[in-house]
Amino acid sequence: MEQLTVAQLGARAKAVAAVLASASPSLKNNALAAIADALTARTEEIIAANKADLEQAVRNQMSQAMQDRLLLNPARIQGMAEGVRKLIQLDEVVGKVEEGYVRPNGLCIQKTRVPLGVIGIIFESRPNVTVDAASLCMKAGNCVILRGGKEAFSSNMCLTNIMRDAVESAGLPADIIQLVPDTTRESSNQLMKLSQYLDVLIPRGGAGLIRAVAENATVPVIRTGVGNCHVFVDASADAAMAVNIIDNGKTQRPSVCNAIETILIHRDIAKDFLPLVKARLDEHNVILHGDAETCEILGDCVVPAEETDWETEYLDYQLAVKVVGDVDEAIAHISRYGTNHSECIVTKSLDNARKFQLTVDAAAVYVNASTRFTDGGEFGFGAEIGISTQKLHARGPMGLYELTSVKYLIQGEGQIR
Amino acid sequence: MEQLTVAQLGARAKAVAAVLASASPSLKNNALAAIADALTARTEEIIAANKADLEQAVRNQMSQAMQDRLLLNPARIQGMAEGVRKLIQLDEVVGKVEEGYVRPNGLCIQKTRVPLGVIGIIFESRPNVTVDAASLCMKAGNCVILRGGKEAFSSNMCLTNIMRDAVESAGLPADIIQLVPDTTRESSNQLMKLSQYLDVLIPRGGAGLIRAVAENATVPVIRTGVGNCHVFVDASADAAMAVNIIDNGKTQRPSVCNAIETILIHRDIAKDFLPLVKARLDEHNVILHGDAETCEILGDCVVPAEETDWETEYLDYQLAVKVVGDVDEAIAHISRYGTNHSECIVTKSLDNARKFQLTVDAAAVYVNASTRFTDGGEFGFGAEIGISTQKLHARGPMGLYELTSVKYLIQGEGQIR
């Protein structure tokens, strides 16, 4: 079969976008059920395709952690299928009338939810994104053009073909789900400039990818996932609570964007608090990078922090530590180094809690709770396609609602101006 | 005084953004009142500054129409002041809790409206945009960096300085409103790439400007205002109503983006209808560009349409005319040539009305009413900063709501995952 260009994929998606946009909720849900069933039924095929990726990973001496991210086994495939089935239960968003009103001249205006149209997604490594992203986009009435990483190409292509077969069997066009058939930098760049066909591009990956997309794309972009998150422990904080929140934020899953990377400790409690939190973090062998005061209090076991530490998203068992004079200094530090993702204050002071929440410019601002809750599931959205760190269109976890736009439907009786 | 660079303007805006974001509604409204008062009090100063622009316009042999767009007189200045005063009455959007709920684990989540932050606006010609845009952005809690056209530079600078003085007298930092102090292409390009400081860039102007911004900006952009709008007259249409809607859409104000540029006429009624609509449009000497069937019906008075006519936003007393076989052909034409702004069907058929509204991909889709209603005032928003023709973030008229984002405020009692 001849390989399609990115522009051809775009044209094909655009050609079927209206069909999907006006598909009934039942039709879309039947297609989701068909995808889930097919993933289970064709498990062996998926594992065989995945094996090719894994063999290549071994040849390329990929790290064990990365190989694990790549691996698909029956349990993981079952997990993907269950994820798709969960979407069936979510309320339909397309067609929802957000506001409906009559103007003095009798015009009836209905602000109605509609799909965005065609969504491009550039992602790295984990092949489950292929299924998660395509199924969530479809539930919201959007066609998707996926461009995955080269490490998982064989798995991604197999999963895409299975989904295409499934949606077609349910009565929807196969072209609502497409995978870019090559993983060159060129195909990625073409997708970023496919303004003619793409309504939005969502990069899912590391800071490098996000930056490249923001700089090169002419298509509207939603930036996701870079999280340099902080916990500020105020003078009045419940120390045990603060230790729990820091431990959870750093060690429960260090590789994710809502994990914390720097803690800011109020000077008045630093001497007592720092040894407490260090003792807990030692259980996971967390390496601390401390400012001068932290080093003085905790001694040689702390690595002296450099300027770059305040900017670093470690995504690992490492944590930067700084002593600050008050909530204002904490807010100023976060304003300078934060990535507008998730920030937390642990305090008993109403004034400081309020100031922190109103002033810190982030998608999610926590008082006395772990930043790890910034997640579509934890927020009650059912599923998400990523965490937006920009302010335009979507902020925080992006669920079905964030994958739609609006359209004004106006009914008149011949009104003119 | 040393001239500030675009980056310096950005840094100054960012430095005061938090102050404005947390300003009380009263404080912002007092600043609006101060601006309105100052515009009236300093009318002579404005007229003197405007005179410099007008003299330059004469030297440059600018068209009378363009000179008129540039002109500020006491009545127009009064109009600007009244526009600002109207904003005081609008409901506050910042701080509005859109959704507030408690998760099973006890976390209280509040999705709260917050300002976007710092907004860049690139605009052409009319100096009233300086005041309209700055005051609306301020009401929504946003700092603004304005970059106007060179024709109106003296007027824009005068108006900006008056607004800066006024907000300062009301107790807000002057730097919440700034004008780029030069009108070179370079300053425009710098603004498009000011990602460090700008949260969004809104170009207001012709298709060329919008395209340049979409292609060069690294800052998130909201595209506005390009409107290649259509009216489809179905076989069942009330002919008198259709003539009124077409006449209103074309001739009430041809230079605006919600004016119509092409009409599509159902073949079954073309022979009777085209002479009717032509007779009415003749009252304004509208030049018709017709397809072959239209030319055959109406004769030599019609200019044969070229392919480019279907793509052209005339913004003038010119109109393209095409005969189509049915609603599907009309929708296909609009899908190919439309700019997703405003589209209208005149019909008595429920099926066709419904199909048209569901399928046509535009910000506003009308049944039996003029496209000229796509406007913040007409939609009941009180004021607008432009009409978005993209699907991301804002679609259709952009009022205060569209000039804000959200932030999740989460209150816990030590919850961890």
Side-chain angles (χ1 to χ4, degrees):
Chain A
M1 198 177 82
E2 205 189 348
Q3 192 169 295
L4 294 172
T5 65
V6 170
Q8 284 171 324
L9 297 178
R12 288 185 176 211
K14 188 90 172 180
V16 298
V19 175
L20 179 56
S22 59
S24 71
S26 307
L27 181 51
K28 288 188 287 186
N29 285 337
N30 289 345
L32 289 171
I35 289 176
D37 291 346
L39 289 171
T40 309
R42 294 168 70 172
T43 292
E44 280 177 34
E45 200 178 320
I46 299 168
I47 288 175
N50 185 241
K51 200 165 165 233
D53 288 331
L54 289 170
E55 283 167 2
Q56 180 188 267
V58 171
R59 278 197 303 277
N60 294 343
Q61 301 180 311
M62 188 185 272
S63 73
Q64 277 303 324
M66 288 294 285
Q67 285 190 39
D68 183 64
R69 286 164 74 96
L70 205 53
L71 175 75
L72 292 178
N73 55 32
R76 287 187 179 183
I77 294 167
Q78 203 45 39
M80 289 195 285
E82 275 158 29
V84 175
R85 268 203 194 88
K86 268 192 194 160
L87 298 181
I88 297 172
Q89 307 306 323
L90 298 182
D91 287 344
E92 178 66 37
V93 287
V94 173
K96 185 164 186 286
V97 177
E98 299 232 308
E99 288 175 66
Y101 53 100
V102 180
R103 295 290 302 155
N105 61 5
L107 278 186
C108 298
I109 301 184
Q110 297 193 319
K111 185 179 180 184
T112 309
R113 284 267 140 213
V114 295
L116 283 167
V118 183
I119 300 181
I121 299 181
I122 301 184
F123 59 105
E124 297 169 334
S125 54
R126 289 189 303 158
N128 64 306
V129 173
T130 307
V131 174
D132 294 353
S135 55
L136 193 63
C137 285
M138 187 182 80
K139 173 87 179 184
N142 298 296
C143 297
V144 73
I145 300 178
L146 302 155
R147 198 281 191 188
K150 64 175 180 304
E151 324 76 39
F153 183 70
S154 167
S155 312
N156 290 339
M157 191 49 97
C158 175
L159 291 168
T160 301
N161 286 333
I162 289 172
M163 289 190 287
R164 286 169 59 90
D165 291 348
V167 298
E168 203 160 33
S169 75
L172 282 170
D175 285 339
I176 63 176
I177 299 172
Q178 298 180 96
L179 180 74
V180 177
D182 77 74
T183 56
T184 57
R185 182 178 295 261
E186 187 52 27
S187 74
S188 183
N189 283 334
Q190 284 166 355
L191 205 56
M192 295 181 203
K193 298 190 186 298
L194 203 62
S195 318
Q196 196 187 349
Y197 299 117
L198 280 193
D199 292 287
V200 57
L201 181 65
I202 304 176
R204 282 191 56 164
L209 170 66
I210 311 286
R211 200 164 38 238
V213 169
E215 276 167 18
N216 297 316
T218 56
V219 174
V221 169
I222 302 182
R223 278 170 293 191
T224 64
V226 178
N228 186 16
C229 307
H230 303 73
V231 173
F232 166 53
V233 183
D234 200 6
S236 65
D238 177 319
M241 183 194 286
V243 169
N244 283 337
I245 286 172
I246 291 169
D247 180 37
N248 186 250
K250 182 72 264 181
T251 71
Q252 196 233 353
R253 203 169 163 202
S255 65
V256 292
C257 60
N258 58 17
I260 60 167
E261 307 295 358
T262 296
I263 57 174
L264 306 165
I265 313 297
H266 195 293
R267 186 162 292 125
D268 291 356
I269 56 155
K271 257 199 195 107
D272 295 330
F273 183 76
L274 282 173
L276 283 180
V277 76
K278 179 170 187 316
R280 176 73 75 82
L281 294 172
D282 278 350
E283 293 171 18
H284 286 93
N285 300 314
V286 175
I287 299 166
L288 300 183
H289 302 258
D291 71 339
E293 283 184 70
T294 302
C295 291
E296 206 183 301
I297 294 168
L298 291 178
D300 284 352
C301 56
V302 177
V303 183
E306 324 246 329
E307 173 68 16
T308 52
D309 283 299
W310 313 124
E311 297 161 355
T312 302
E313 204 188 3
Y314 299 113
L315 299 171
D316 199 354
Y317 292 94
Q318 301 193 53
L319 184 66
V321 189
K322 186 180 162 74
V323 174
V324 295
D326 57 17
V327 67
D328 293 312
E329 193 181 337
I331 291 170
H333 181 96
I334 292 168
S335 168
R336 178 155 176 203
Y337 298 105
T339 55
N340 315 108
H341 192 296
S342 300
E343 306 293 351
C344 167
I345 181 174
V346 185
T347 189
K348 285 181 183 160
S349 157
L350 179 59
D351 281 354
N352 290 353
R354 194 170 150 76
K355 181 186 265 189
F356 192 87
Q357 282 199 317
L358 290 182
T359 316
V360 169
D361 188 18
V365 188
Y366 293 84
V367 173
N368 298 336
S370 171
T371 58
R372 289 278 295 111
F373 287 109
T374 305
D375 170 272
E378 295 295 331
F379 274 26
F381 298 176
E384 63 158 58
I385 201 150
I387 311 285
S388 165
T389 55
Q390 69 180 37
K391 293 192 208 167
L392 218 61
H393 185 75
R395 202 174 194 201
M398 290 189 287
L400 287 174
Y401 176 88
E402 286 76 16
L403 290 174
T404 58
S405 179
V406 293
K407 176 178 184 176
Y408 289 93
L409 302 183
I410 300 117
Q411 172 75 52
E413 295 156 319
Q415 284 90 337
I416 57 172
R417 269 180 92 175
Chain B
M1 199 178 83
E2 205 191 347
Q3 191 168 295
L4 293 172
T5 65
V6 170
Q8 284 170 325
L9 296 178
R12 288 185 177 211
K14 188 91 173 180
V16 297
V19 175
L20 179 57
S22 59
S24 71
S26 307
L27 181 51
K28 288 187 287 185
N29 286 337
N30 289 346
L32 289 170
I35 289 175
D37 291 347
L39 289 171
T40 309
R42 295 168 71 172
T43 291
E44 281 177 33
E45 200 178 319
I46 299 168
I47 287 174
N50 185 242
K51 202 166 162 229
D53 289 331
L54 289 170
E55 283 168 3
Q56 180 188 266
V58 172
R59 278 198 303 276
N60 293 343
Q61 302 180 313
M62 188 185 272
S63 74
Q64 277 303 325
M66 287 294 284
Q67 285 189 41
D68 183 65
R69 286 164 74 96
L70 205 52
L71 175 74
L72 293 178
N73 55 32
R76 288 187 179 182
I77 294 166
Q78 203 46 39
M80 286 196 284
E82 275 158 29
V84 175
R85 265 201 198 89
K86 268 192 195 160
L87 298 182
I88 297 172
Q89 308 306 324
L90 298 182
D91 287 343
E92 177 68 35
V93 287
V94 174
K96 184 162 187 288
V97 177
E98 298 232 308
E99 289 175 66
Y101 53 99
V102 180
R103 295 291 300 156
N105 61 4
L107 277 186
C108 298
I109 301 184
Q110 296 193 320
K111 184 179 180 183
T112 309
R113 285 266 141 211
V114 295
L116 283 167
V118 183
I119 300 181
I121 299 181
I122 302 183
F123 60 105
E124 296 168 338
S125 56
R126 289 188 303 158
N128 64 306
V129 174
T130 307
V131 174
D132 294 353
S135 55
L136 193 63
C137 285
M138 187 181 81
K139 173 85 178 184
N142 298 296
C143 296
V144 73
I145 300 178
L146 302 156
R147 198 281 190 187
K150 63 176 180 303
E151 324 77 37
F153 182 69
S154 167
S155 312
N156 291 339
M157 191 49 97
C158 176
L159 291 168
T160 301
N161 286 333
I162 289 172
M163 289 191 288
R164 286 170 58 89
D165 291 349
V167 299
E168 204 160 33
S169 75
L172 281 170
D175 286 338
I176 64 176
I177 299 173
Q178 299 179 98
L179 180 75
V180 178
D182 77 74
T183 56
T184 57
R185 182 177 295 260
E186 186 53 27
S187 74
S188 182
N189 283 334
Q190 284 166 355
L191 206 56
M192 295 181 204
K193 297 188 187 299
L194 203 62
S195 317
Q196 197 187 350
Y197 299 118
L198 280 193
D199 292 289
V200 57
L201 181 65
I202 304 175
R204 280 190 55 163
L209 170 65
I210 311 285
R211 200 166 36 239
V213 169
E215 275 168 18
N216 296 314
T218 56
V219 174
V221 169
I222 301 181
R223 278 170 291 191
T224 66
V226 178
N228 186 17
C229 306
H230 303 73
V231 173
F232 166 54
V233 184
D234 200 6
S236 65
D238 176 320
M241 182 194 287
V243 169
N244 283 338
I245 286 173
I246 291 169
D247 181 37
N248 186 251
K250 182 73 267 180
T251 71
Q252 195 233 353
R253 203 168 163 204
S255 65
V256 292
C257 60
N258 57 21
I260 61 168
E261 307 296 359
T262 296
I263 57 173
L264 305 166
I265 313 297
H266 196 291
R267 185 162 292 124
D268 291 355
I269 56 157
K271 260 200 192 105
D272 294 329
F273 183 76
L274 281 173
L276 284 180
V277 75
K278 179 169 188 317
R280 177 72 75 82
L281 294 172
D282 277 348
E283 293 171 20
H284 285 94
N285 301 314
V286 175
I287 298 166
L288 300 183
H289 302 259
D291 69 340
E293 283 184 69
T294 303
C295 291
E296 206 183 301
I297 294 169
L298 292 178
D300 283 352
C301 56
V302 177
V303 183
E306 324 246 328
E307 173 69 15
T308 52
D309 283 299
W310 314 124
E311 298 161 354
T312 302
E313 204 188 4
Y314 299 113
L315 298 171
D316 200 352
Y317 292 93
Q318 300 193 54
L319 184 67
V321 189
K322 185 178 163 74
V323 175
V324 294
D326 57 16
V327 66
D328 293 312
E329 194 182 338
I331 291 170
H333 181 96
I334 291 168
S335 166
R336 177 153 177 205
Y337 299 104
T339 55
N340 314 107
H341 192 296
S342 300
E343 306 293 351
C344 167
I345 181 173
V346 186
T347 189
K348 285 182 183 160
S349 156
L350 179 60
D351 281 354
N352 290 354
R354 193 169 151 76
K355 181 185 266 189
F356 192 86
Q357 283 200 316
L358 290 182
T359 315
V360 169
D361 188 18
V365 188
Y366 293 83
V367 173
N368 297 337
S370 171
T371 59
R372 289 278 295 112
F373 288 109
T374 305
D375 171 271
E378 294 295 333
F379 274 25
F381 298 175
E384 63 157 58
I385 201 150
I387 312 284
S388 165
T389 55
Q390 69 181 37
K391 293 191 208 167
L392 218 60
H393 185 73
R395 201 173 193 200
M398 290 188 288
L400 287 174
Y401 175 88
E402 286 75 17
L403 290 174
T404 57
S405 179
V406 293
K407 178 179 183 174
Y408 289 93
L409 302 182
I410 300 115
Q411 172 74 53
E413 296 157 319
Q415 283 89 339
I416 57 171
R417 267 179 93 175

